[in-house]
Amino acid sequence: VKSIAVLTSGGDSQGMNAALRAVVRSALYNGLDVYGVQRGYQGLINDDLFKMDLRSVGDIIQRGGTILQTARCKEFMTPEGQQRGADVLRARGIDGLVVIGGDGSYQGANKLSKLGIKTMGLPGTIDNDIPFTDFTIGFDTAVSIVVDAINKIRDTMSSHERSSVVEVMGRHCGDIALYAGLASGAETIIVPEVPIDMAEVSERMESNFAKGKRHSIVVVAEGAGRGEDVAREITKGCGLEPRVTVLGHIQRGGTPTAIDRILASRLGDFAVHQLMAGESGKACGIIRGELVTTDIDTVVHSKKPFNMEMYNLALRLSQ
Ligand code: F6P
């Protein structure tokens, strides 16, 4: 491999810039040429590439978002779009591509790999929904943002002896709700992976208030339902009138935590080394602290297991 390209695709996440910096600097350190692709797969189709140097990624390790811009590209879901992407890379003599993104981006990388392009996927999403990695880049920051928000909500709920429903992101995955719920001492965590009995939730809230609790926080993952609907069910069940907060895109912005920057830096460098070693069609991840690769085809056809042990712990501790 002599020349590689890098792109960010799908929803952005904090730490994408840190990953990009690592890919670019590691490639240059090892004597490779490196090209940035603007706006994800759309930019690839449009041949919107530019050569990057050491300074292209200066002053970005601490920035949220992605300096390459990102997009969700429908055209790249078609065989014609994928072929065009592969042709653009070949015409420029680029041998390898690092894709930083979530599951949709991995599907694109998988297709390119089948068209003979050497691809490496880096898990860049706040959702933590990529299998074969314990964590994705951006997840730690998103969880920290949610915990910080719940701390604030709890202050005012406590003063007024109120309950609150906080809706968080995660698409079909409950990890943001689970981790943030455990870290913030939420009373109930509602996730798509675990069925829940709303009558039981209401009963528990009512009895906890009766036992002297001064506030009650319910965290609901967007994949399990809407905050407004959960609040309505609670009112129906026990008469409480929870206030609803939908945190939305605030979870995807801001400066990445040190954990995300370190993960991004390690994975970015690892991806370059994998390409240099001739690997292709792999997703890079971290399992029990070790950097690993898994066939991207396996990753896109698997579902991340849910951590029931942590879910049950959160439930036991939030009495
Ligand atoms: O995948 C990241 C994510 O933020 C999800 O948690 C959420 O469901 C989705 O993207 C929101 O997408 P958009 O920014 O396109 O509204």
Side-chain angles (χ1 to χ4, degrees):
V1 175
K2 290 203 175 65
S3 175
I4 67 167
V6 54
L7 61 81
T8 51
S9 155
D12 63 353
S13 74
Q14 308 93 332
M16 274 187 166
N17 277 328
L20 175 64
R21 171 181 177 270
V23 169
V24 171
R25 295 246 168 111
S26 179
L28 293 171
Y29 181 86
N30 288 290
L32 307 180
D33 283 339
V34 54
Y35 290 83
V37 184
Q38 303 268 23
R39 294 184 189 80
Y41 291 118
Q42 192 61 58
L44 189 57
I45 289 175
N46 297 345
D47 195 14
D48 201 355
L49 279 71
F50 67 103
K51 205 162 181 192
M52 299 187 85
D53 60 25
L54 288 173
R55 296 280 65 80
S56 319
V57 289
D59 196 24
I60 66 166
I61 194 169
Q62 79 285 14
R63 290 187 203 281
T66 158
I67 60 161
L68 288 181
Q69 314 293 123
T70 184
R72 302 191 202 276
C73 175
K74 286 219 176 80
E75 204 181 337
F76 200 74
M77 291 174 186
T78 64
E80 297 73 31
Q82 292 150 11
Q83 188 59 55
R84 164 91 187 129
D87 291 346
V88 164
L89 290 170
R90 274 204 194 96
R92 283 180 172 267
I94 295 170
D95 325 295
L97 175 69
V98 178
V99 172
I100 310 170
D103 54 350
S105 315
Y106 272 24
Q107 279 169 31
N110 194 29
K111 299 286 185 201
L112 280 176
S113 153
K114 288 182 175 159
L115 291 172
I117 301 295
K118 290 194 168 65
T119 55
M120 277 296 140
L122 289 186
T125 166
I126 62 166
D127 298 338
N128 210 35
D129 59 347
I130 307 273
F132 299 97
T133 184
D134 290 342
F135 298 107
T136 57
I137 299 163
F139 175 66
D140 185 66
T141 309
V143 168
S144 303
I145 290 169
V146 175
V147 170
D148 183 54
I150 293 178
N151 289 343
K152 290 169 180 155
I153 290 168
R154 184 202 285 268
D155 284 347
T156 166
M157 291 303 116
S158 261
S159 310
H160 289 265
E161 295 178 89
R162 275 178 179 162
S163 57
S164 197
V165 174
V166 182
E167 181 189 312
V168 302
M169 279 187 170
R171 207 179 286 272
H172 307 297
C173 179
D175 275 19
I176 295 180
L178 172 66
Y179 281 68
L182 176 61
S184 62
E187 191 176 289
T188 303
I189 301 171
I190 304 179
V191 292
E193 293 88 348
V194 187
I196 194 136
D197 179 347
M198 281 310 295
E200 229 172 72
V201 169
S202 308
E203 223 168 82
R204 207 155 85 94
M205 285 172 82
E206 200 178 19
S207 95
N208 279 345
F209 268 112
K211 279 191 261 169
K213 247 194 150 174
R214 286 190 295 128
H215 56 257
S216 175
I217 309 270
V218 177
V219 181
V220 55
E222 63 176 351
R226 293 182 53 241
E228 283 292 347
D229 297 334
V230 170
R232 207 171 301 120
E233 287 287 313
I234 292 168
T235 307
K236 232 198 288 165
C238 66
L240 287 171
E241 289 179 357
R243 300 302 196 258
V244 179
T245 306
V246 180
L247 291 178
H249 287 84
I250 204 168
Q251 294 160 95
R252 243 168 54 192
T255 186
T257 60
I259 297 271
D260 272 331
R261 297 182 201 192
I262 292 164
L263 179 62
S265 301
R266 291 183 70 196
L267 282 172
D269 174 70
F270 184 65
V272 171
H273 278 95
Q274 292 300 314
L275 285 174
M276 282 172 22
E279 292 288 347
S280 174
K282 302 281 179 192
C284 303
I286 187 161
I287 297 179
R288 295 195 186 92
E290 296 284 326
L291 300 178
V292 295
T293 58
T294 309
D295 285 340
I296 209 157
D297 196 57
T298 306
V299 174
V300 297
H301 291 108
S302 309
K303 194 173 157 36
K304 184 162 188 151
F306 185 70
N307 192 335
M308 273 316 287
E309 196 187 316
M310 199 184 284
Y311 178 84
N312 288 326
L313 171 67
L315 205 63
R316 286 200 305 279
L317 297 183
S318 67
Q319 315 232 1

